[in-house]
Amino acid sequence: VQVLESGGGLVQPGGSLRLSCAASGFTFNSYAMSWVRQAPGKGLEWVSGISGPGGDTYYADSVKGRFIISRDNSKNTVYLQMRSLRADDTAVYYCARETATYYGPEDYWGQGTLVTVSS
Amino acid sequence: EIVLTQSPGTLSLSPGDGATLSCRASQTINYNYLAWYQQKPGQAPRLLIYGVSSRATGIPDRFSGSGSGTDFTLTISRLEPEDFAVYYCQQYGGSQAFGPGTKVDIK
């Protein structure tokens, strides 16, 4: 099982960024996927999750209305579209596989991609 | 939204000691959807325990979880050098939440 994030970088406040997460080594559409972030020197914060088929999505209050999670099961890829970015969105963003199709903890994690929101 | 608190914030122990980490939820966690993770500097988190007390694949049996309702515990029976890290509890099931973490460092 492998999970590989990409798309991080430096973006100005108010800007947008799309993160991608390519997965391999398992039946992708059978597993929910999540994004979890970690600000520098801080703890883990769950951001968003999506069910295996893609019909159910969940968001933390801190990103609701600004971030959109989606997945393309034909490409084994999950995305996080981030808009109206703020300084406090600066973090390493981890993509992770959940242990079940709908609900589960995260058992496989990528190494993370750094998003820096700064002018 | 469930809020998780963890105590203590830091635990200073020696190799061979036992460790008891606490996690408290602001409301009852349904279906035992409570997990524990270990994170070392510069690494992604590692799933240790799910469903309150089930060990994830490859996790040694010195790690155990217990609890119910709103109060949960991670116990490390005898600390190995590689166990010094930060530990997070997590509520999952649709929306999720992590606790603030407990750092276990070397005394």
Short mmCIF file of all heavy atoms in Angstrom, two decimals, chain A residues 22-89:
data_model
loop_
_atom_site.label_atom_id
_atom_site.label_comp_id
_atom_site.label_asym_id
_atom_site.label_seq_id
_atom_site.Cartn_x
_atom_site.Cartn_y
_atom_site.Cartn_z
N ALA A 22 -2.20 10.18 -4.75
CA ALA A 22 -2.25 8.99 -5.58
C ALA A 22 -2.02 7.76 -4.71
O ALA A 22 -1.06 7.71 -3.93
CB ALA A 22 -1.18 9.08 -6.65
N ALA A 23 -2.91 6.78 -4.86
CA ALA A 23 -2.84 5.58 -4.03
C ALA A 23 -2.61 4.35 -4.89
O ALA A 23 -3.00 4.30 -6.06
CB ALA A 23 -4.13 5.43 -3.22
N SER A 24 -1.97 3.36 -4.30
CA SER A 24 -1.74 2.12 -5.01
C SER A 24 -1.61 0.97 -4.00
O SER A 24 -1.39 1.19 -2.82
CB SER A 24 -0.47 2.21 -5.86
OG SER A 24 0.65 2.48 -5.04
N GLY A 25 -1.75 -0.24 -4.53
CA GLY A 25 -1.55 -1.42 -3.70
C GLY A 25 -2.79 -1.94 -3.01
O GLY A 25 -2.69 -2.88 -2.21
N PHE A 26 -3.95 -1.35 -3.30
CA PHE A 26 -5.20 -1.83 -2.70
C PHE A 26 -6.37 -1.46 -3.62
O PHE A 26 -6.22 -0.66 -4.54
CB PHE A 26 -5.40 -1.27 -1.29
CG PHE A 26 -5.50 0.24 -1.20
CD1 PHE A 26 -6.73 0.87 -1.12
CD2 PHE A 26 -4.35 1.02 -1.16
CE1 PHE A 26 -6.82 2.25 -1.03
CE2 PHE A 26 -4.42 2.41 -1.06
CZ PHE A 26 -5.66 3.02 -1.01
N THR A 27 -7.52 -2.04 -3.37
CA THR A 27 -8.72 -1.75 -4.16
C THR A 27 -9.26 -0.40 -3.72
O THR A 27 -9.97 -0.28 -2.72
CB THR A 27 -9.77 -2.86 -3.96
OG1 THR A 27 -9.19 -4.12 -4.29
CG2 THR A 27 -10.98 -2.60 -4.86
N PHE A 28 -8.91 0.61 -4.48
CA PHE A 28 -9.08 2.00 -4.05
C PHE A 28 -10.53 2.32 -3.68
O PHE A 28 -10.78 2.95 -2.65
CB PHE A 28 -8.59 2.93 -5.15
CG PHE A 28 -8.59 4.39 -4.79
CD1 PHE A 28 -7.73 4.88 -3.81
CD2 PHE A 28 -9.44 5.29 -5.43
CE1 PHE A 28 -7.72 6.23 -3.46
CE2 PHE A 28 -9.45 6.63 -5.10
CZ PHE A 28 -8.58 7.10 -4.11
N ASN A 29 -11.49 1.92 -4.50
CA ASN A 29 -12.88 2.33 -4.26
C ASN A 29 -13.51 1.61 -3.08
O ASN A 29 -14.67 1.87 -2.73
CB ASN A 29 -13.73 2.17 -5.52
CG ASN A 29 -13.81 0.74 -6.01
OD1 ASN A 29 -13.35 -0.19 -5.34
ND2 ASN A 29 -14.36 0.54 -7.19
N SER A 30 -12.80 0.71 -2.45
CA SER A 30 -13.31 0.01 -1.27
C SER A 30 -12.92 0.70 0.04
O SER A 30 -13.30 0.22 1.11
CB SER A 30 -12.80 -1.43 -1.24
OG SER A 30 -13.35 -2.18 -2.30
N TYR A 31 -12.20 1.78 -0.04
CA TYR A 31 -11.70 2.43 1.16
C TYR A 31 -11.99 3.92 1.17
O TYR A 31 -11.77 4.62 0.17
CB TYR A 31 -10.19 2.24 1.30
CG TYR A 31 -9.81 0.82 1.61
CD1 TYR A 31 -9.61 -0.10 0.57
CD2 TYR A 31 -9.67 0.38 2.92
CE1 TYR A 31 -9.28 -1.41 0.85
CE2 TYR A 31 -9.33 -0.93 3.20
CZ TYR A 31 -9.14 -1.82 2.16
OH TYR A 31 -8.80 -3.12 2.44
N ALA A 32 -12.47 4.39 2.30
CA ALA A 32 -12.58 5.83 2.51
C ALA A 32 -11.17 6.41 2.63
O ALA A 32 -10.21 5.71 2.97
CB ALA A 32 -13.38 6.11 3.77
N MET A 33 -11.06 7.69 2.34
CA MET A 33 -9.78 8.39 2.41
C MET A 33 -9.97 9.69 3.19
O MET A 33 -11.07 10.27 3.20
CB MET A 33 -9.26 8.72 1.01
CG MET A 33 -9.02 7.52 0.11
SD MET A 33 -7.64 6.48 0.64
CE MET A 33 -6.24 7.55 0.33
N SER A 34 -8.91 10.12 3.83
CA SER A 34 -8.97 11.34 4.64
C SER A 34 -7.79 12.25 4.36
O SER A 34 -6.73 11.79 3.90
CB SER A 34 -8.95 11.00 6.14
OG SER A 34 -10.18 10.52 6.60
N TRP A 35 -7.96 13.52 4.67
CA TRP A 35 -6.86 14.48 4.75
C TRP A 35 -6.75 14.92 6.21
O TRP A 35 -7.76 15.26 6.85
CB TRP A 35 -7.12 15.69 3.87
CG TRP A 35 -7.02 15.40 2.40
CD1 TRP A 35 -8.04 15.11 1.55
CD2 TRP A 35 -5.83 15.40 1.60
NE1 TRP A 35 -7.56 14.90 0.27
CE2 TRP A 35 -6.20 15.09 0.29
CE3 TRP A 35 -4.47 15.64 1.88
CZ2 TRP A 35 -5.27 15.01 -0.77
CZ3 TRP A 35 -3.55 15.57 0.84
CH2 TRP A 35 -3.96 15.25 -0.47
N VAL A 36 -5.53 14.91 6.70
CA VAL A 36 -5.22 15.34 8.06
C VAL A 36 -4.05 16.31 7.95
O VAL A 36 -3.13 16.06 7.19
CB VAL A 36 -4.83 14.14 8.95
CG1 VAL A 36 -4.40 14.60 10.35
CG2 VAL A 36 -5.99 13.14 9.05
N ARG A 37 -4.09 17.40 8.70
CA ARG A 37 -3.00 18.37 8.62
C ARG A 37 -2.33 18.57 9.97
O ARG A 37 -2.91 18.25 11.02
CB ARG A 37 -3.50 19.71 8.06
CG ARG A 37 -4.44 20.48 8.96
CD ARG A 37 -4.95 21.73 8.23
NE ARG A 37 -5.86 22.52 9.07
CZ ARG A 37 -6.49 23.61 8.64
NH1 ARG A 37 -6.33 24.03 7.39
NH2 ARG A 37 -7.29 24.26 9.46
N GLN A 38 -1.14 19.12 9.89
CA GLN A 38 -0.36 19.38 11.10
C GLN A 38 0.41 20.67 10.91
O GLN A 38 1.34 20.72 10.10
CB GLN A 38 0.58 18.22 11.39
CG GLN A 38 1.29 18.31 12.73
CD GLN A 38 1.95 16.98 13.10
OE1 GLN A 38 2.46 16.26 12.25
NE2 GLN A 38 1.95 16.67 14.40
N ALA A 39 0.00 21.71 11.62
CA ALA A 39 0.72 22.97 11.58
C ALA A 39 2.09 22.79 12.22
O ALA A 39 2.28 21.90 13.06
CB ALA A 39 -0.07 24.05 12.30
N PRO A 40 3.06 23.62 11.85
CA PRO A 40 4.42 23.47 12.38
C PRO A 40 4.46 23.46 13.91
O PRO A 40 3.95 24.37 14.55
CB PRO A 40 5.15 24.69 11.82
CG PRO A 40 4.40 25.03 10.58
CD PRO A 40 2.97 24.72 10.86
N GLY A 41 4.99 22.38 14.46
CA GLY A 41 5.12 22.26 15.91
C GLY A 41 3.83 21.99 16.65
O GLY A 41 3.81 22.01 17.89
N LYS A 42 2.74 21.71 15.93
CA LYS A 42 1.44 21.51 16.55
C LYS A 42 0.97 20.08 16.40
O LYS A 42 1.65 19.23 15.83
CB LYS A 42 0.41 22.47 15.94
CG LYS A 42 0.79 23.94 16.04
CD LYS A 42 0.89 24.40 17.48
CE LYS A 42 1.18 25.89 17.56
NZ LYS A 42 1.34 26.35 18.97
N GLY A 43 -0.23 19.81 16.90
CA GLY A 43 -0.80 18.47 16.83
C GLY A 43 -1.52 18.20 15.52
O GLY A 43 -1.54 19.02 14.60
N LEU A 44 -2.12 17.03 15.46
CA LEU A 44 -2.86 16.61 14.27
C LEU A 44 -4.25 17.23 14.26
O LEU A 44 -4.91 17.33 15.29
CB LEU A 44 -2.99 15.08 14.26
CG LEU A 44 -1.69 14.29 14.29
CD1 LEU A 44 -1.99 12.80 14.45
CD2 LEU A 44 -0.88 14.53 13.02
N GLU A 45 -4.68 17.63 13.06
CA GLU A 45 -6.04 18.14 12.89
C GLU A 45 -6.66 17.44 11.68
O GLU A 45 -6.18 17.59 10.55
CB GLU A 45 -6.05 19.66 12.67
CG GLU A 45 -7.46 20.21 12.49
CD GLU A 45 -7.50 21.69 12.10
OE1 GLU A 45 -6.46 22.23 11.70
OE2 GLU A 45 -8.58 22.29 12.19
N TRP A 46 -7.74 16.70 11.90
CA TRP A 46 -8.47 16.10 10.80
C TRP A 46 -9.12 17.21 9.98
O TRP A 46 -9.70 18.15 10.54
CB TRP A 46 -9.51 15.13 11.33
CG TRP A 46 -10.41 14.59 10.28
CD1 TRP A 46 -10.14 13.58 9.40
CD2 TRP A 46 -11.73 15.03 9.98
NE1 TRP A 46 -11.21 13.37 8.57
CE2 TRP A 46 -12.20 14.24 8.91
CE3 TRP A 46 -12.57 16.00 10.51
CZ2 TRP A 46 -13.47 14.41 8.36
CZ3 TRP A 46 -13.83 16.17 9.98
CH2 TRP A 46 -14.27 15.38 8.91
N VAL A 47 -9.04 17.10 8.65
CA VAL A 47 -9.55 18.13 7.76
C VAL A 47 -10.81 17.68 7.03
O VAL A 47 -11.83 18.38 7.03
CB VAL A 47 -8.47 18.52 6.73
CG1 VAL A 47 -9.02 19.46 5.68
CG2 VAL A 47 -7.26 19.14 7.43
N SER A 48 -10.74 16.50 6.40
CA SER A 48 -11.85 16.09 5.55
C SER A 48 -11.73 14.61 5.25
O SER A 48 -10.65 14.03 5.33
CB SER A 48 -11.82 16.89 4.24
OG SER A 48 -12.93 16.57 3.42
N GLY A 49 -12.88 13.99 4.95
CA GLY A 49 -12.90 12.59 4.58
C GLY A 49 -13.93 12.33 3.49
O GLY A 49 -14.88 13.10 3.32
N ILE A 50 -13.73 11.23 2.75
CA ILE A 50 -14.64 10.87 1.68
C ILE A 50 -14.78 9.35 1.65
O ILE A 50 -13.80 8.62 1.82
CB ILE A 50 -14.15 11.43 0.33
CG1 ILE A 50 -15.17 11.19 -0.78
CG2 ILE A 50 -12.77 10.88 -0.05
CD1 ILE A 50 -14.88 11.98 -2.06
N SER A 51 -16.00 8.87 1.46
CA SER A 51 -16.25 7.44 1.45
C SER A 51 -15.65 6.80 0.20
O SER A 51 -15.28 7.49 -0.76
CB SER A 51 -17.75 7.17 1.51
OG SER A 51 -18.39 7.72 0.37
N GLY A 52 -15.56 5.48 0.20
CA GLY A 52 -14.99 4.75 -0.93
C GLY A 52 -15.66 5.06 -2.27
O GLY A 52 -14.98 5.40 -3.25
N PRO A 53 -16.99 4.97 -2.33
CA PRO A 53 -17.66 5.30 -3.60
C PRO A 53 -17.64 6.79 -3.92
O PRO A 53 -17.89 7.17 -5.06
CB PRO A 53 -19.10 4.83 -3.37
CG PRO A 53 -19.02 3.87 -2.25
CD PRO A 53 -17.90 4.36 -1.38
N GLY A 54 -17.41 7.63 -2.92
CA GLY A 54 -17.32 9.07 -3.13
C GLY A 54 -18.59 9.85 -2.83
O GLY A 54 -18.59 11.08 -2.92
N GLY A 55 -19.64 9.17 -2.43
CA GLY A 55 -20.91 9.86 -2.23
C GLY A 55 -21.07 10.56 -0.90
O GLY A 55 -21.96 11.39 -0.73
N ASP A 56 -20.22 10.24 0.05
CA ASP A 56 -20.29 10.85 1.38
C ASP A 56 -19.00 11.60 1.67
O ASP A 56 -17.91 11.04 1.55
CB ASP A 56 -20.48 9.77 2.46
CG ASP A 56 -21.78 9.01 2.27
OD1 ASP A 56 -22.83 9.54 2.67
OD2 ASP A 56 -21.73 7.91 1.70
N THR A 57 -19.16 12.86 2.03
CA THR A 57 -18.00 13.70 2.36
C THR A 57 -18.21 14.36 3.71
O THR A 57 -19.35 14.61 4.13
CB THR A 57 -17.77 14.78 1.29
OG1 THR A 57 -18.94 15.59 1.17
CG2 THR A 57 -17.44 14.16 -0.06
N TYR A 58 -17.10 14.62 4.38
CA TYR A 58 -17.13 15.20 5.73
C TYR A 58 -16.03 16.24 5.84
O TYR A 58 -14.96 16.09 5.24
CB TYR A 58 -16.89 14.10 6.78
CG TYR A 58 -17.82 12.92 6.63
CD1 TYR A 58 -17.46 11.83 5.86
CD2 TYR A 58 -19.05 12.90 7.28
CE1 TYR A 58 -18.31 10.75 5.71
CE2 TYR A 58 -19.91 11.82 7.14
CZ TYR A 58 -19.53 10.75 6.35
OH TYR A 58 -20.39 9.68 6.21
N TYR A 59 -16.31 17.30 6.63
CA TYR A 59 -15.36 18.38 6.76
C TYR A 59 -15.28 18.85 8.22
O TYR A 59 -16.28 18.86 8.95
CB TYR A 59 -15.79 19.58 5.91
CG TYR A 59 -15.84 19.28 4.44
CD1 TYR A 59 -17.03 18.89 3.82
CD2 TYR A 59 -14.69 19.38 3.65
CE1 TYR A 59 -17.07 18.60 2.47
CE2 TYR A 59 -14.73 19.09 2.29
CZ TYR A 59 -15.92 18.70 1.72
OH TYR A 59 -15.96 18.41 0.38
N ALA A 60 -14.09 19.27 8.60
CA ALA A 60 -13.93 19.97 9.86
C ALA A 60 -14.57 21.35 9.75
O ALA A 60 -14.60 21.95 8.65
CB ALA A 60 -12.45 20.11 10.21
N ASP A 61 -15.09 21.85 10.86
CA ASP A 61 -15.72 23.18 10.83
C ASP A 61 -14.75 24.25 10.32
O ASP A 61 -15.17 25.21 9.68
CB ASP A 61 -16.22 23.55 12.23
CG ASP A 61 -17.45 22.76 12.64
OD1 ASP A 61 -18.07 22.12 11.77
OD2 ASP A 61 -17.77 22.77 13.84
N SER A 62 -13.47 24.08 10.61
CA SER A 62 -12.48 25.10 10.25
C SER A 62 -12.29 25.25 8.74
O SER A 62 -11.75 26.27 8.29
CB SER A 62 -11.14 24.77 10.91
OG SER A 62 -10.68 23.49 10.50
N VAL A 63 -12.72 24.26 7.96
CA VAL A 63 -12.51 24.34 6.51
C VAL A 63 -13.82 24.26 5.73
O VAL A 63 -13.82 24.41 4.50
CB VAL A 63 -11.56 23.23 6.02
CG1 VAL A 63 -10.24 23.27 6.81
CG2 VAL A 63 -12.20 21.85 6.09
N LYS A 64 -14.92 24.03 6.43
CA LYS A 64 -16.21 23.87 5.75
C LYS A 64 -16.53 25.13 4.95
O LYS A 64 -16.40 26.25 5.45
CB LYS A 64 -17.30 23.58 6.79
CG LYS A 64 -18.52 22.89 6.26
CD LYS A 64 -19.42 22.46 7.41
CE LYS A 64 -18.82 21.36 8.24
NZ LYS A 64 -19.73 20.88 9.32
N GLY A 65 -16.94 24.93 3.71
CA GLY A 65 -17.25 26.06 2.84
C GLY A 65 -16.06 26.60 2.07
O GLY A 65 -16.22 27.41 1.16
N ARG A 66 -14.85 26.18 2.45
CA ARG A 66 -13.64 26.64 1.75
C ARG A 66 -12.92 25.50 1.04
O ARG A 66 -12.29 25.72 0.01
CB ARG A 66 -12.68 27.30 2.74
CG ARG A 66 -13.24 28.51 3.46
CD ARG A 66 -12.15 29.22 4.27
NE ARG A 66 -11.56 28.36 5.30
CZ ARG A 66 -10.25 28.10 5.39
NH1 ARG A 66 -9.40 28.60 4.51
NH2 ARG A 66 -9.79 27.31 6.36
N PHE A 67 -12.97 24.30 1.60
CA PHE A 67 -12.28 23.15 1.03
C PHE A 67 -13.30 22.17 0.46
O PHE A 67 -14.42 22.03 0.99
CB PHE A 67 -11.47 22.42 2.10
CG PHE A 67 -10.26 23.17 2.61
CD1 PHE A 67 -10.03 24.51 2.32
CD2 PHE A 67 -9.32 22.52 3.40
CE1 PHE A 67 -8.92 25.18 2.80
CE2 PHE A 67 -8.20 23.17 3.89
CZ PHE A 67 -8.00 24.50 3.59
N ILE A 68 -12.90 21.50 -0.61
CA ILE A 68 -13.74 20.45 -1.20
C ILE A 68 -12.90 19.21 -1.42
O ILE A 68 -11.85 19.28 -2.07
CB ILE A 68 -14.37 20.90 -2.53
CG1 ILE A 68 -15.30 22.09 -2.30
CG2 ILE A 68 -15.15 19.75 -3.17
CD1 ILE A 68 -15.84 22.70 -3.58
N ILE A 69 -13.36 18.08 -0.91
CA ILE A 69 -12.69 16.81 -1.13
C ILE A 69 -13.42 16.07 -2.24
O ILE A 69 -14.65 16.13 -2.35
CB ILE A 69 -12.64 15.96 0.17
CG1 ILE A 69 -11.72 14.75 0.00
CG2 ILE A 69 -14.04 15.55 0.62
CD1 ILE A 69 -11.45 14.01 1.31
N SER A 70 -12.66 15.38 -3.08
CA SER A 70 -13.26 14.59 -4.15
C SER A 70 -12.32 13.43 -4.46
O SER A 70 -11.18 13.39 -3.98
CB SER A 70 -13.51 15.44 -5.39
OG SER A 70 -12.28 15.95 -5.90
N ARG A 71 -12.79 12.50 -5.25
CA ARG A 71 -11.95 11.38 -5.64
C ARG A 71 -12.33 10.93 -7.04
O ARG A 71 -13.48 11.07 -7.48
CB ARG A 71 -12.05 10.23 -4.64
CG ARG A 71 -13.42 9.57 -4.53
CD ARG A 71 -13.47 8.63 -3.32
NE ARG A 71 -12.57 7.49 -3.46
CZ ARG A 71 -12.13 6.76 -2.44
NH1 ARG A 71 -12.50 7.05 -1.19
NH2 ARG A 71 -11.33 5.72 -2.65
N ASP A 72 -11.32 10.39 -7.73
CA ASP A 72 -11.51 9.80 -9.05
C ASP A 72 -11.09 8.34 -8.92
O ASP A 72 -9.88 8.04 -8.92
CB ASP A 72 -10.69 10.55 -10.09
CG ASP A 72 -10.94 10.04 -11.50
OD1 ASP A 72 -11.40 8.90 -11.66
OD2 ASP A 72 -10.64 10.78 -12.44
N ASN A 73 -12.05 7.47 -8.78
CA ASN A 73 -11.72 6.06 -8.55
C ASN A 73 -11.11 5.39 -9.78
O ASN A 73 -10.47 4.35 -9.66
CB ASN A 73 -12.95 5.30 -8.05
CG ASN A 73 -13.28 5.62 -6.60
OD1 ASN A 73 -12.47 6.19 -5.87
ND2 ASN A 73 -14.48 5.28 -6.17
N SER A 74 -11.28 5.99 -10.94
CA SER A 74 -10.65 5.45 -12.15
C SER A 74 -9.15 5.77 -12.18
O SER A 74 -8.39 5.11 -12.88
CB SER A 74 -11.33 6.00 -13.40
OG SER A 74 -11.05 7.38 -13.56
N LYS A 75 -8.77 6.77 -11.39
CA LYS A 75 -7.36 7.18 -11.34
C LYS A 75 -6.72 6.88 -9.99
O LYS A 75 -5.56 7.25 -9.75
CB LYS A 75 -7.23 8.68 -11.64
CG LYS A 75 -7.64 9.06 -13.05
CD LYS A 75 -7.42 10.55 -13.30
CE LYS A 75 -7.81 10.90 -14.74
NZ LYS A 75 -7.62 12.35 -15.01
N ASN A 76 -7.47 6.25 -9.10
CA ASN A 76 -6.95 5.94 -7.75
C ASN A 76 -6.38 7.19 -7.07
O ASN A 76 -5.29 7.14 -6.45
CB ASN A 76 -5.87 4.85 -7.80
CG ASN A 76 -6.46 3.47 -8.06
OD1 ASN A 76 -7.64 3.33 -8.34
ND2 ASN A 76 -5.62 2.45 -7.98
N THR A 77 -7.11 8.27 -7.19
CA THR A 77 -6.61 9.55 -6.69
C THR A 77 -7.71 10.29 -5.91
O THR A 77 -8.87 10.29 -6.31
CB THR A 77 -6.11 10.43 -7.85
OG1 THR A 77 -5.07 9.74 -8.54
CG2 THR A 77 -5.56 11.76 -7.33
N VAL A 78 -7.30 10.90 -4.81
CA VAL A 78 -8.20 11.77 -4.05
C VAL A 78 -7.63 13.18 -4.08
O VAL A 78 -6.39 13.36 -4.15
CB VAL A 78 -8.39 11.24 -2.61
CG1 VAL A 78 -7.08 11.23 -1.84
CG2 VAL A 78 -9.43 12.04 -1.85
N TYR A 79 -8.50 14.15 -4.06
CA TYR A 79 -8.10 15.54 -4.18
C TYR A 79 -8.62 16.34 -3.00
O TYR A 79 -9.61 16.01 -2.37
CB TYR A 79 -8.68 16.15 -5.47
CG TYR A 79 -8.31 15.39 -6.71
CD1 TYR A 79 -9.20 14.47 -7.27
CD2 TYR A 79 -7.09 15.60 -7.35
CE1 TYR A 79 -8.87 13.77 -8.42
CE2 TYR A 79 -6.75 14.90 -8.50
CZ TYR A 79 -7.65 13.99 -9.02
OH TYR A 79 -7.33 13.30 -10.16
N LEU A 80 -7.93 17.46 -2.74
CA LEU A 80 -8.42 18.45 -1.79
C LEU A 80 -8.27 19.81 -2.44
O LEU A 80 -7.15 20.30 -2.62
CB LEU A 80 -7.65 18.39 -0.46
CG LEU A 80 -8.23 19.30 0.63
CD1 LEU A 80 -9.61 18.78 1.08
CD2 LEU A 80 -7.28 19.39 1.82
N GLN A 81 -9.40 20.39 -2.86
CA GLN A 81 -9.41 21.73 -3.43
C GLN A 81 -9.55 22.72 -2.28
O GLN A 81 -10.53 22.67 -1.53
CB GLN A 81 -10.57 21.89 -4.41
CG GLN A 81 -10.67 23.29 -5.01
CD GLN A 81 -9.52 23.62 -5.92
OE1 GLN A 81 -9.19 22.87 -6.83
NE2 GLN A 81 -8.87 24.75 -5.67
N MET A 82 -8.57 23.60 -2.15
CA MET A 82 -8.56 24.56 -1.05
C MET A 82 -8.70 25.97 -1.60
O MET A 82 -7.93 26.37 -2.49
CB MET A 82 -7.25 24.42 -0.25
CG MET A 82 -7.01 23.01 0.25
SD MET A 82 -5.55 22.86 1.29
CE MET A 82 -4.26 23.21 0.11
N ARG A 83 -9.67 26.72 -1.08
CA ARG A 83 -9.90 28.10 -1.51
C ARG A 83 -9.88 29.02 -0.31
O ARG A 83 -9.98 28.58 0.83
CB ARG A 83 -11.25 28.19 -2.23
CG ARG A 83 -11.32 27.40 -3.51
CD ARG A 83 -12.60 27.72 -4.30
NE ARG A 83 -12.56 27.11 -5.63
CZ ARG A 83 -13.07 25.94 -5.94
NH1 ARG A 83 -13.68 25.22 -5.02
NH2 ARG A 83 -12.98 25.47 -7.16
N SER A 84 -9.79 30.32 -0.59
CA SER A 84 -9.78 31.34 0.48
C SER A 84 -8.81 30.97 1.58
O SER A 84 -9.12 31.00 2.78
CB SER A 84 -11.20 31.48 1.05
OG SER A 84 -12.12 31.83 0.04
N LEU A 85 -7.61 30.64 1.17
CA LEU A 85 -6.62 30.16 2.13
C LEU A 85 -6.19 31.27 3.08
O LEU A 85 -6.08 32.44 2.70
CB LEU A 85 -5.42 29.57 1.41
CG LEU A 85 -5.69 28.16 0.84
CD1 LEU A 85 -4.68 27.80 -0.23
CD2 LEU A 85 -5.68 27.13 1.95
N ARG A 86 -5.93 30.86 4.32
CA ARG A 86 -5.54 31.78 5.39
C ARG A 86 -4.21 31.33 5.96
O ARG A 86 -3.80 30.18 5.78
CB ARG A 86 -6.60 31.80 6.49
CG ARG A 86 -8.02 31.94 6.00
CD ARG A 86 -9.03 32.05 7.11
NE ARG A 86 -9.05 30.90 8.01
CZ ARG A 86 -10.18 30.34 8.42
NH1 ARG A 86 -11.35 30.77 7.98
NH2 ARG A 86 -10.14 29.33 9.27
N ALA A 87 -3.59 32.22 6.70
CA ALA A 87 -2.30 31.88 7.30
C ALA A 87 -2.41 30.65 8.20
O ALA A 87 -1.48 29.84 8.28
CB ALA A 87 -1.77 33.07 8.10
N ASP A 88 -3.54 30.49 8.88
CA ASP A 88 -3.65 29.36 9.79
C ASP A 88 -3.96 28.04 9.08
O ASP A 88 -4.12 27.01 9.73
CB ASP A 88 -4.67 29.63 10.90
CG ASP A 88 -6.08 29.84 10.40
OD1 ASP A 88 -6.29 29.83 9.17
OD2 ASP A 88 -6.99 30.03 11.24
N ASP A 89 -4.00 28.05 7.74
CA ASP A 89 -4.07 26.81 6.97
C ASP A 89 -2.67 26.27 6.68
O ASP A 89 -2.54 25.17 6.13
CB ASP A 89 -4.80 27.03 5.64
CG ASP A 89 -6.27 27.37 5.83
OD1 ASP A 89 -6.93 26.71 6.66
OD2 ASP A 89 -6.75 28.31 5.15
#
